[in-house]
């Protein structure tokens, strides 16, 4: 029945994940939800030099927020920062160069960040969509290293800082496509039980963190199929077929922004999965995502073990 579920998911996506789906859903949006002043609040956005990350950072800057851009490529990040400042007139934009597939770099960054800044909202936007099996210098499959382990370390190490803030939030954006990149055999045997979809791992982490940290509002969202550099480079055939139907990066960023700044978002329970400003079931658009509670708890335990391993070898620790 796997072919049937995949077909259902694809047809559903054609209707809901494209630009037409956004335009239909947006008829029910309340514009006032995101027309808010967030001056004095601090936001950290990963993968913020292009696409949905840059669009999110720009809209937050436009509303007066202090924005920390976490990017891998220094040259592109500096251009993005200047463009955001020029477009919004907001000079409270700070740049941090971090490779989010490198857990040691993330540890170094978060330890320094905690000592120098405050944080109200963490937006885990950065994602990896490598089609071929590629290992990092630490021997980790690159998609897993970036999307799962990197997100885990970034979030858990910044939770103590977030717990000091008022109306603290953590927002995850899962990759636009339902990729099957995760290769269980490429990791240690202790990881073989992990959910096979990177998207599902993000959902599980969000649900588990929501249970553990009641003073922080956690959520995860799907941006739909957006015309971003990641989609163009990672899925060129799909892009050519669908480019006239893809959402703009600003449309893809809409729910991220809503979750990050709207008072309405925090009226809903922590730990939910969103699409177009509405909570949706986690098991319909993602497919094959049911996993027993003990496996979900084990996922967090193993990720914690992995993260501590890389902390122990970080320079200066």
């Amino acid at each position: 029945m796997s072919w049937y579920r995949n077909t259902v998911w694809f047809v559903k996506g054609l209707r809901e994940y494209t630009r037409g789906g956004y335009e239909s859903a947006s008829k029910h949006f309340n514009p006032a939800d995101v027309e808010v002043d967030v001056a004095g609040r601090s936001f950290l956005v990963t993968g913020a030099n292009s696409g949905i990350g840059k669009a999110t950072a720009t809209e937050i800057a436009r509303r007066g927020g202090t924005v920390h851009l976490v990017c891998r490529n220094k040259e592109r990040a500096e251009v993005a920062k200047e463009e955001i400042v020029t477009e919004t007139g907001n000079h409270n934009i700070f740049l941090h160069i971090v490779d989010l597939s490198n857990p040691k770099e993330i540890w170094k960054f978060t330890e320094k960040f905690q000592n120098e800044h405050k944080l109200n909202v963490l937006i885990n936007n950065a994602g990896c969509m490598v089609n071929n099996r590629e290992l990092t210098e630490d021997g980790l499959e690159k998609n897993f290293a970036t999307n799962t382990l990197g997100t885990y370390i970034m979030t858990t190490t910044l939770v103590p800082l977030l717990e000091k803030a008022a109306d603290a939030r953590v927002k995850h954006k899962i990759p636009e496509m339902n990729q099957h990149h995760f290769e269980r055999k490429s990791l240690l045997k202790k990881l073989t039980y992990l959910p096979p979809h990177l998207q599902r791992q993000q959902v599980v982490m969000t649900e588990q963190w929501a249970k553990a940290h009641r003073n922080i509002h956690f959520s995860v969202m799907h941006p739909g199929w957006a015309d971003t550099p990641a989609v163009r480079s990672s899925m060129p055939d799909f892009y050519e077929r669908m480019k006239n139907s893809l959402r703009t990066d600003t449309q893809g960023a809409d729910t991220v922004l809503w979750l990050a700044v709207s008072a309405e978002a925090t009226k809903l329970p922590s730990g939910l999965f969103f699409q177009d400003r509405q909570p949706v079931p986690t098991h319909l658009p993602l497919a094959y995502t049911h996993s027993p509670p003990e496996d979900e708890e084990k996922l967090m335990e193993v990720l914690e073990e992995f993260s501590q391993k890389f902390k122990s070898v970080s320079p200066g620790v």
Side-chain angles (χ1 to χ4, degrees), residues 40-51:
R41 289 177 62 77
S42 178
F43 301 76
L44 188 155
V45 185
T46 66
N49 65 281
S50 66

Side-chain angles (χ1 to χ4, degrees), residues 14-311:
L14 285 177
R15 295 195 306 267
E16 297 185 9
Y17 290 0
T18 59
R19 186 185 306 163
Y22 173 83
E23 291 171 348
S24 176
S26 65
K27 294 176 183 178
H28 306 286
F29 293 172
N30 181 358
D33 285 356
V34 294
E35 294 308 319
V36 295
D37 184 350
V38 293
R41 289 177 62 77
S42 178
F43 301 76
L44 188 155
V45 185
T46 66
N49 65 281
S50 66
I52 291 172
K54 183 184 176 187
T56 302
T58 300
E59 292 305 316
I60 291 171
R62 201 187 308 279
R63 289 158 176 77
T66 296
V67 186
H68 295 272
L69 313 176
V70 176
C71 308
R72 181 176 60 84
N73 185 285
K74 187 174 187 294
E75 291 72 24
R76 290 200 293 265
E78 288 176 341
V79 171
K81 175 185 174 181
E82 289 306 312
E83 289 175 347
I84 293 171
V85 171
T86 299
E87 183 174 342
T88 67
N90 186 339
H91 291 268
N92 292 319
I93 312 297
F94 300 92
L95 183 58
H96 311 273
I97 306 302
V98 185
D99 182 350
L100 292 171
S101 70
N102 187 324
K104 295 184 288 293
E105 279 194 28
I106 301 173
W107 269 110
K108 289 179 63 178
F109 163 70
T110 55
E111 288 168 350
K112 185 173 186 290
F113 189 90
Q114 289 183 75
N115 293 327
E116 298 178 354
H117 303 282
K118 72 170 188 174
L119 183 63
N120 296 93
V121 181
L122 169 62
I123 300 174
N124 288 309
N125 164 79
C128 189
M129 293 172 64
V130 177
N131 290 311
N132 299 317
R133 185 171 182 267
E134 183 178 331
L135 300 182
T136 69
E137 63 180 37
D138 297 304
L140 298 170
E141 195 277 326
K142 194 166 186 178
N143 292 288
F144 169 79
T146 305
N147 298 341
T148 301
L149 185 60
T151 296
Y152 178 87
I153 296 174
M154 180 69 71
T155 303
T156 55
T157 53
L158 291 178
V159 158
L161 188 61
L162 287 160
E163 287 181 331
K164 299 176 184 178
D167 188 18
R169 310 183 189 191
V170 175
K171 310 302 160 192
H172 302 300
K173 186 216 75 168
I174 62 177
E176 289 93 326
M177 303 299 162
N178 192 24
Q179 299 293 304
H180 296 256
H181 293 312
F182 183 70
E183 297 184 40
R184 304 184 198 192
K185 64 183 179 181
S186 69
L187 300 177
L188 297 179
K189 290 182 179 179
K190 69 175 66 177
L191 292 175
T192 57
Y193 65 88
L194 289 176
H197 296 277
L198 292 170
Q199 290 181 332
R200 180 57 188 165
Q201 294 166 23
Q202 296 254 354
V203 171
V204 170
M205 288 190 294
T206 298
E207 292 171 341
Q208 293 296 315
W209 280 322
K211 294 177 184 177
H213 306 286
R214 302 290 185 177
N215 294 329
I216 302 173
H217 193 270
F218 290 85
S219 57
V220 60
M221 62 80 66
H222 195 295
W225 294 344
D227 186 350
T228 64
V231 171
R232 285 176 234 142
S233 62
S234 298
M235 305 190 73
D237 293 340
F238 175 88
Y239 175 74
E240 284 302 316
R241 291 195 302 269
M242 298 293 296
K243 62 184 178 182
N244 294 326
S245 300
L246 297 177
R247 300 180 178 199
T248 67
D249 50 12
T250 300
Q251 290 172 340
D254 177 81
T255 297
V256 182
L257 178 69
W258 183 80
L259 289 168
V261 306
S262 170
E264 294 302 308
T266 55
K267 292 179 181 178
L268 295 166
S270 180
L272 298 182
F273 177 77
F274 287 83
Q275 181 181 328
D276 291 332
R277 302 192 189 185
Q278 291 294 321
V280 294
T282 60
H283 297 292
L284 290 179
L286 302 181
Y288 315 109
T289 57
H290 293 279
S291 50
E294 57 269 25
D295 278 4
E296 296 183 355
E297 294 171 2
K298 185 65 176 177
L299 167 64
M300 304 300 282
E301 292 175 8
V302 174
L303 288 174
E304 177 62 19
E305 183 180 332
F306 254 62
S307 72
Q308 291 299 321
K309 169 187 173 182
F310 290 106
K311 178 183 180 181

